[in-house]
Amino acid sequence: MMTKHLISQISKGSIAEGLGIIPGDFLLSINDNEIIDVFDYRYLTQDSELKICILTSSGEEKEFFVKKEEDEELGLQFEEGLMDEYRSCTNKCIFCFIDQMPKGMRKTLYFKDDDMRLSFLQGNYVTLTNLSEKDIERIIKYRLEPINISFQTTNPSLRCMMLNNRFAGDALKKADTLFNAGITMNGQIVLCKGVNDKEELERSISDLYKYVPVLESLSVVPVGLSKYREGLYPLEPFNKEDAKAVLDTIHKWQEKAYKEHNTHFVHASDEWYILADEELPEEDKYDGYLQIENGVGMLRSFIEEFDEGLSLLNEALNAYKPSFFNKINIKGYDRSIEEVTGVSNISNIEKILKQGRSVSVVTGKIAYKYIKEMADKFTDRFPQFSINVYAIRNDFFGERITVSGLITGQDIIKQLNDKLLGEALLIPENMLRAKTDVFLDDVTLTDIEKSLHISTSIVKSNGRNFIENIIGERFYV
């Protein structure tokens, strides 16, 4: 029986709308090919001539013949984003954070994905244990790259133990197949103290180095340990000396990789530098922030964007003179302040800066030092402003969890209840479920505002946007 896919929406002005396809219809095939999932759909719709078979909501099969540009979309949106069920993880990793969550949270938080399609679409990491030979063939055929892989270790027997999967060691051979096909990969090692660190980390980096440059990057991140680990594998937190040893290993391999391939290849997540009490690397050491969503260079990128944004704002203010013709003369040509600095609405911004305001910022303990330094830098330049920075202790998951992305709404409410907050509370967007106003514990921004009697403002993972939220006005072009 041919798979059918329920159409949920039709884009306005699209080819599908012109054909008369409506929500509630089903897509059956394209050019007589069955569509298993979103990748079949994307691949098949690249052709300029299509035969589309539709089953209408009334049960009638219709065929449509379409001529279009190769990159032109049909305008179909489906009830299931992947046009297939999400694939869950079959491993029982000793470091899995989902196993460390308390009961009673929303069901979606307990779903363990190990889906190569989400790796391609959203940057999720896969272990390779859930990939069939047919999946590998489709990755190569459709050029689904980059694929992000959780290696953890290249020691086959150790990998079987860490993933609690007797096939986990053999699954590493699939990386060889992807490498030989030239499929771009990024790798990750979740480091567990006394398990895959030290000599095992050295071995893993050495083994994976042979994949450079097809394996573009390898991140090393410390295991996250919540307070809900009863009955789980006994893991210990890393200390300062451990972190320094990890960085020594990584820096040694970075030096080798840069000399031989002009890339640093292996990267430490920000936590290692903070735990070791060492300075964050400069921007050029991150090779374009290939794994920023994995916490590699996230703080450095934010700082650089903030500093650049503050510099541009200063440049715009210095050039601004209240007049009808507000131009900057460069080599005999008049150009607007907006063109030169990328700062718009400067007259209004100047008024706000002179008036000033008081705001507060929440963050995790790991980023507090850097957020506080940026806040102080801003108030040194604009003393009319007051910025309170609060590091939220993670009582919900335990104090060992220090990243902002795992802060809950209830911890914010409890810890800020008696604090000076000013006119607005700035909240990092990574504390919230994607494209929603909901925290991990289902507390909402509205709950925060009602409990703390303050308006909230969401700060994107961008240093310039941080400045805009402090000021309370969007102005960067």
Side-chain angles (χ1 to χ4, degrees):
M1 183 178 177
M2 183 170 288
T3 306
K4 59 182 183 179
H5 302 281
L6 178 60
I7 298 168
S8 60
Q9 294 183 51
I10 303 292
S11 301
K12 289 185 177 181
S14 66
I15 292 172
E17 185 181 53
L19 294 173
I21 300 173
I22 61 174
D25 290 346
F26 293 87
L27 174 64
L28 296 181
S29 65
I30 295 176
N31 291 342
D32 296 321
N33 292 290
E34 183 179 9
I35 300 164
I36 303 301
D37 60 20
V38 65
F39 290 130
D40 289 321
Y41 175 76
R42 287 190 174 192
Y43 181 76
L44 292 169
T45 54
Q46 288 178 3
D47 290 346
S48 57
E49 295 186 6
L50 304 177
K51 182 175 77 171
I52 304 169
C53 185
I54 295 289
L55 176 65
T56 68
S57 55
S58 61
E60 179 185 2
E61 282 194 25
K62 289 185 176 180
E63 289 186 346
F64 299 94
F65 294 87
V66 174
K67 288 187 177 183
K68 66 177 189 66
E69 299 294 329
E70 287 190 2
D71 59 350
E72 188 176 4
E73 300 282 347
L74 291 179
L76 299 177
Q77 297 181 46
F78 301 92
E79 185 178 48
E80 297 290 342
L82 292 180
M83 302 174 71
D84 188 21
E85 292 183 354
Y86 288 80
R87 298 180 186 176
S88 61
C89 183
T90 57
N91 306 313
K92 294 184 179 179
C93 301
I94 63 173
F95 51 83
C96 181
F97 194 81
I98 293 176
D99 290 338
Q100 302 179 63
M101 295 200 302
K103 296 179 180 179
M105 303 181 75
R106 60 177 178 268
K107 289 183 179 180
T108 54
L109 292 175
Y110 298 101
F111 179 77
K112 304 178 184 181
D113 81 78
D114 195 18
D115 200 315
M116 59 93 171
R117 297 164 299 183
L118 290 176
S119 178
F120 175 70
L121 291 172
Q122 299 178 10
N124 296 21
Y125 281 78
V126 296
T127 64
L128 301 177
T129 61
N130 207 30
L131 290 181
S132 66
E133 292 303 319
K134 185 176 180 179
D135 290 328
I136 296 292
E137 290 172 4
R138 294 177 75 226
I139 290 173
I140 295 170
K141 176 183 177 181
Y142 296 161
R143 306 303 300 180
L144 303 179
E145 54 188 344
I147 291 293
N148 297 328
I149 301 172
S150 284
F151 288 104
Q152 317 317 0
T153 176
T154 57
N155 180 333
S157 60
L158 179 59
R159 194 168 197 259
C160 291
M161 184 279 285
M162 291 186 70
L163 274 60
N164 271 307
N165 185 326
R166 61 193 178 96
F167 303 109
D170 287 339
L172 289 169
K173 297 174 183 176
K174 296 170 185 175
D176 288 329
T177 304
L178 296 175
F179 170 74
N180 291 329
I183 297 296
T184 302
M185 299 176 283
N186 290 294
Q188 171 187 263
I189 293 175
V190 177
L191 210 61
C192 300
K193 187 172 180 176
V195 180
N196 62 335
D197 57 347
K198 298 180 180 178
E199 294 83 3
E200 291 294 345
L201 176 61
E202 185 78 33
R203 168 181 174 162
S204 294
I205 297 175
S206 178
D207 288 345
L208 294 172
Y209 187 75
K210 69 183 180 184
Y211 292 142
V212 179
V214 176
L215 182 63
E216 288 188 313
S217 65
L218 176 67
S219 64
V220 180
V221 303
V223 62
L225 301 175
S226 85
K227 64 183 181 183
Y228 301 99
R229 289 197 57 83
E230 185 177 352
L232 299 178
Y233 188 93
L235 291 174
E236 299 178 11
F238 289 97
N239 59 32
K240 183 176 181 178
E241 289 70 29
D242 298 327
K244 285 183 174 293
V246 169
L247 291 176
D248 286 343
T249 298
I250 290 174
H251 292 159
K252 179 189 71 175
W253 279 98
Q254 284 183 332
E255 185 176 350
K256 174 180 174 65
Y258 197 76
K259 286 180 180 177
E260 296 177 0
H261 297 284
N262 199 34
T263 176
H264 296 89
F265 173 54
V266 58
H267 301 274
S269 61
D270 295 347
E271 297 104 310
W272 294 113
Y273 291 97
I274 295 168
L275 183 57
D277 196 24
E278 293 189 11
E279 291 295 320
L280 296 171
E282 294 303 313
E283 189 170 35
D284 61 0
K285 296 292 181 65
Y286 287 103
D287 299 334
Y289 299 113
L290 293 170
Q291 295 209 29
I292 193 167
E293 297 301 328
N294 211 16
V296 176
M298 186 174 287
L299 283 170
R300 171 55 65 196
S301 175
F302 197 88
I303 293 167
E304 293 295 322
E305 290 164 349
F306 176 88
D307 287 345
E308 182 185 41
L310 192 58
S311 177
L312 292 174
L313 180 58
N314 281 326
E315 187 178 346
L317 289 170
N318 292 335
Y320 174 66
K321 295 180 176 61
S323 67
F324 185 77
F325 297 104
N326 201 355
K327 303 285 185 180
I328 302 174
N329 189 279
I330 298 179
K331 296 182 179 180
Y333 294 94
D334 285 337
R335 297 178 64 191
S336 70
I337 289 177
E338 181 175 321
E339 288 178 301
V340 176
T341 65
V343 175
S344 64
N345 198 19
I346 187 63
S347 61
N348 188 46
I349 298 304
E350 186 195 42
K351 292 176 184 177
I352 296 174
L353 289 169
K354 286 182 177 179
Q355 180 179 346
R357 71 174 191 148
S358 176
V359 300
S360 293
V361 186
V362 290
T363 185
K365 292 178 68 175
I366 193 171
Y368 172 79
K369 169 188 171 183
Y370 302 95
I371 301 298
K372 183 70 167 63
E373 287 175 354
M374 285 182 273
D376 290 345
K377 191 179 295 186
F378 187 89
T379 55
D380 285 346
R381 175 63 181 83
F382 303 107
Q384 299 89 337
F385 282 75
S386 173
I387 307 173
N388 298 306
V389 182
Y390 295 109
I392 302 299
R393 183 183 64 254
N394 201 321
D395 293 333
F396 187 88
F397 286 112
E399 291 189 42
R400 290 177 179 173
I401 304 299
T402 59
V403 296
S404 61
L406 292 173
I407 295 294
T408 58
Q410 59 187 270
D411 279 345
I412 293 174
I413 292 172
K414 289 177 184 176
Q415 294 174 42
L416 296 188
N417 191 45
D418 59 349
K419 298 292 192 297
L420 294 173
L421 300 178
E423 301 171 38
L425 178 63
L426 311 189
I427 297 176
E429 66 174 350
N430 67 348
M431 289 187 181
L432 302 169
R433 185 180 179 186
K435 299 180 181 179
T436 73
D437 65 350
V438 182
F439 291 84
L440 280 171
D441 56 351
D442 290 333
V443 171
T444 67
L445 288 180
T446 300
D447 296 330
I448 297 283
E449 292 178 336
K450 287 181 178 179
S451 298
L452 299 177
H453 308 290
I454 191 170
S455 64
T456 58
S457 183
I458 305 306
V459 180
K460 297 179 180 178
S461 301
N462 180 294
R464 291 194 194 186
N465 187 250
F466 183 33
I467 295 173
E468 290 179 321
N469 276 277
I470 292 171
I471 294 173
E473 189 84 15
R474 297 290 174 88
F475 54 86
Y476 288 111
V477 177

